[in-house]
Amino acid sequence: MTASLAFPVFSPPAVSRGARRSRRPISRKSSFAPRAGASFLSDVEQAPPDPILGVSVAFRECQNPNKLNLGVGAYRTEELKPYVLDVVKRAEKLMLDAGYDKEYLPMQGLAEFNAATVELLLGKESEAVKNNRVATVQSLSGTGSLRVGAAFVAKFMPGAKVFLPSPTWGNHKNIFADAGVEWAEYRYYDATTVGLDLEGMLGDLNAAPEGSVVVLHGCAHNPTGVDPTMDDWTKIAEVVERRKLVPFFDVAYQGFASGSLEEDACSVRMFADRGIEFFCAQSYSKNLGLYAERVGAINAVLADADAAKKTLSQLNRVARAMYSNPPVHGARIAATVINDPELFQRWNEEMREMAGRIKTVRGTLYDELVTRNPDKDWSFVTRQIGMFSYTGLNENQVKHMTDKHAVYMTKDGRISLAGLSQEKCAYLADAIDDSFRNVA
């Protein structure tokens, strides 16, 4: 057991009543003063399209009958249709029959959900759970959970820098930057091996200042699909302990990556077992298909119950200022599924089915690519895990994929295999092979 890390907690300075009632004259001028006949917001700059969600907008406008949307990470059936899990339908029926009301939830969220989600993350035998060392707040899926955590870091860990893997999910930088938290990157992906740059990662983390926050993808790294092995995770944990870093896990794919809830939580549980304090954001968008319900949680796994109690009180205050309290419907679905033995068993089956379909698509795509270009090493397609594959296509080649073949994907070369069917693998392989061969 290593000595745990202590989060530095600072209280905001009190503002005296006199300070609030300043006698200085109030300026009536504003930088947003409108020009004659123009809106006072005329000078607001147009924001660029979202690099991920913008792909879907372009896809919808495309008229090509062969078009493929491999940009957004949402599961599709073999017929490329959205999928509502059987257990979700059954849970909703049970909820309807129970006659639940629609009253506000507490700031912390639905108690049954919070208890279920932390147990799912850390395991039933977790010492942290048994000893009340986990502060859990239901939040708005993974994004909202990360944002609450980022605001907490900004307020109670002032000056701490957040280190993100390079590359990482496109929204991570926005989330921490908008919370006023400075971020930097650590090496993660090795383009030469199309795998993990463990040496570079450990070197950068070793150089990070003590007390820095390190964002780690618990499983199914987005966008690369490249995960550390358990031996790699041990080495990462050793650096975290030695440098007194604060991990911030992003767990968006538990059960969806490998098909096993236990396997996909191994990294997080190993850190907890070593006595390392950390944050963890959870999402149920992928594994329960609750994309629009915005179900997730922010957890702080800490060294003692008193720290967890105080941290929970402040996470609640952060949530209160942002959205007051979370929505109930999706959280009740998740709690119902997790707490009902029959539904829980069926959920595990459905996750294995979804993960299995993606693995099958990976294998089919690999075979099609090898057939077209046997001299190129395509093994990364089957080595990577989760719904994404990092193809190695550059921005020019991605543009060619879209302009010529109507394959819509993010500019970094990431494709969502959850949006691909076996029937379309040959078409995609043609497009990838053409782009690699003919576009620099």
Side-chain angles (χ1 to χ4, degrees):
M1 177 75 71
T2 183
S4 61
L5 306 175
F7 296 145
V9 179
F10 299 88
S11 299
V15 180
S16 69
R17 189 173 184 181
R20 294 192 193 101
R21 299 177 63 180
S22 172
R23 296 184 178 182
R24 288 179 296 176
I26 300 174
S27 172
R28 299 298 180 184
K29 294 182 179 180
S30 168
S31 59
F32 284 97
R35 299 184 299 274
S39 168
F40 78 102
L41 296 180
S42 296
D43 292 332
V44 173
E45 293 183 3
Q46 178 70 39
D50 184 273
I52 299 175
L53 300 182
V55 173
S56 292
V57 175
F59 172 80
R60 285 193 294 269
E61 295 174 352
C62 177
Q63 300 302 312
N64 189 323
N66 295 315
K67 65 182 181 178
L68 278 174
N69 184 1
L70 305 181
V72 178
Y75 182 79
R76 296 291 181 262
T77 64
E78 184 62 24
E79 294 71 40
L80 301 184
K81 301 295 184 183
Y83 178 55
V84 179
L85 273 68
D86 174 58
V87 289
V88 169
K89 297 175 183 177
R90 290 165 63 179
E92 287 185 313
K93 185 177 186 306
L94 290 173
M95 290 158 54
L96 186 64
D97 292 344
Y100 290 117
D101 59 41
K102 299 294 183 181
E103 290 293 303
Y104 288 125
L105 287 177
M107 291 178 286
Q108 188 177 350
L110 185 68
E112 306 95 282
F113 169 79
N114 288 345
T117 195
V118 72
E119 186 176 286
L120 197 75
L121 178 69
L122 298 178
K124 292 183 178 180
E125 301 305 316
S126 168
E127 290 298 320
V129 176
K130 290 179 180 179
N131 296 322
N132 299 314
R133 294 191 285 108
V134 186
T136 301
V137 171
Q138 178 194 335
S139 192
L140 309 181
S141 196
T143 301
S145 301
L146 286 160
R147 186 62 177 80
V148 170
F152 184 92
V153 169
K155 186 173 184 180
F156 294 103
M157 301 173 62
K161 182 183 289 187
V162 172
F163 285 81
L164 304 169
S166 177
T168 193
W169 177 48
N171 212 19
H172 276 152
K173 296 175 183 177
N174 295 333
I175 289 167
F176 286 99
D178 282 3
V181 179
E182 183 182 359
W183 58 265
E185 295 180 304
Y186 62 84
R187 284 170 286 178
Y188 186 88
Y189 177 73
D190 186 335
T192 303
T193 64
V194 197
L196 178 67
D197 181 4
L198 182 63
E199 183 178 348
M201 178 182 183
L202 296 178
D204 288 346
L205 296 187
N206 261 313
E210 288 188 5
S212 297
V213 177
V214 180
V215 170
L216 300 167
H217 297 228
C219 62
H221 181 273
N222 178 4
T224 68
V226 174
D227 280 2
T229 65
M230 286 311 296
D231 285 343
D232 295 337
W233 277 117
T234 298
K235 294 174 183 177
I236 294 166
E238 289 170 351
V239 173
V240 164
E241 290 172 320
R242 184 168 60 252
R243 294 296 303 150
K244 298 182 180 178
L245 307 177
V246 180
F248 196 145
F249 281 98
D250 185 353
V251 177
Y253 303 96
Q254 186 182 355
F256 190 89
S258 68
S260 166
L261 289 166
E262 304 297 311
E263 184 176 338
D264 291 345
C266 280
S267 59
V268 177
R269 293 180 184 183
M270 187 261 281
F271 274 60
D273 290 343
R274 292 178 72 106
I276 300 174
E277 294 186 297
F278 59 86
F279 297 105
C280 182
Q282 293 172 272
S283 168
Y284 288 85
S285 292
K286 307 300 191 297
N287 55 12
L288 264 175
L290 298 177
Y291 304 99
E293 300 294 351
R294 313 314 293 149
V295 188
I298 176 66
N299 305 274
V301 181
L302 303 175
D304 59 74
D306 184 58
K309 181 179 178 181
K310 290 186 289 187
T311 298
L312 176 61
S313 72
Q314 293 294 350
L315 287 171
N316 280 336
R317 288 191 66 185
V318 171
R320 173 65 167 160
M322 282 189 183
Y323 51 80
S324 195
N325 39 48
V328 67
H329 187 75
R332 204 179 294 282
I333 291 172
T336 301
V337 171
I338 296 170
N339 291 324
D340 183 297
E342 183 180 341
L343 291 182
F344 186 73
Q345 179 179 346
R346 176 60 186 139
W347 181 37
N348 278 270
E349 292 171 357
E350 289 193 273
M351 282 187 287
R352 287 193 292 270
E353 291 165 4
M354 291 188 291
R357 193 189 85 75
I358 294 174
K359 290 176 184 176
T360 299
V361 166
R362 282 187 183 277
T364 303
L365 178 60
Y366 170 78
D367 291 341
E368 295 287 355
L369 289 167
V370 170
T371 298
R372 285 155 181 75
N373 188 353
D375 295 329
K376 183 175 174 60
D377 182 7
W378 300 102
S379 62
F380 65 87
V381 176
T382 51
R383 286 202 316 269
Q384 295 167 355
I385 190 172
M387 66 165 51
F388 299 114
S389 177
Y390 216 50
T391 62
L393 292 163
N394 64 36
E395 194 166 331
N396 288 335
Q397 292 164 336
V398 169
K399 186 176 186 301
H400 181 77
M401 292 277 290
T402 302
D403 293 348
K404 181 177 179 180
H405 300 282
V407 176
Y408 289 83
M409 54 194 290
T410 53
K411 292 180 180 180
D412 58 5
R414 186 197 80 171
I415 57 174
S416 172
L417 295 176
L420 180 65
S421 64
Q422 290 189 68
E423 181 184 352
K424 290 286 189 178
C425 282
Y427 180 79
L428 177 60
D430 283 336
I432 293 174
D433 182 50
D434 173 46
S435 300
F436 271 123
R437 288 181 185 274
N438 300 309
V439 180

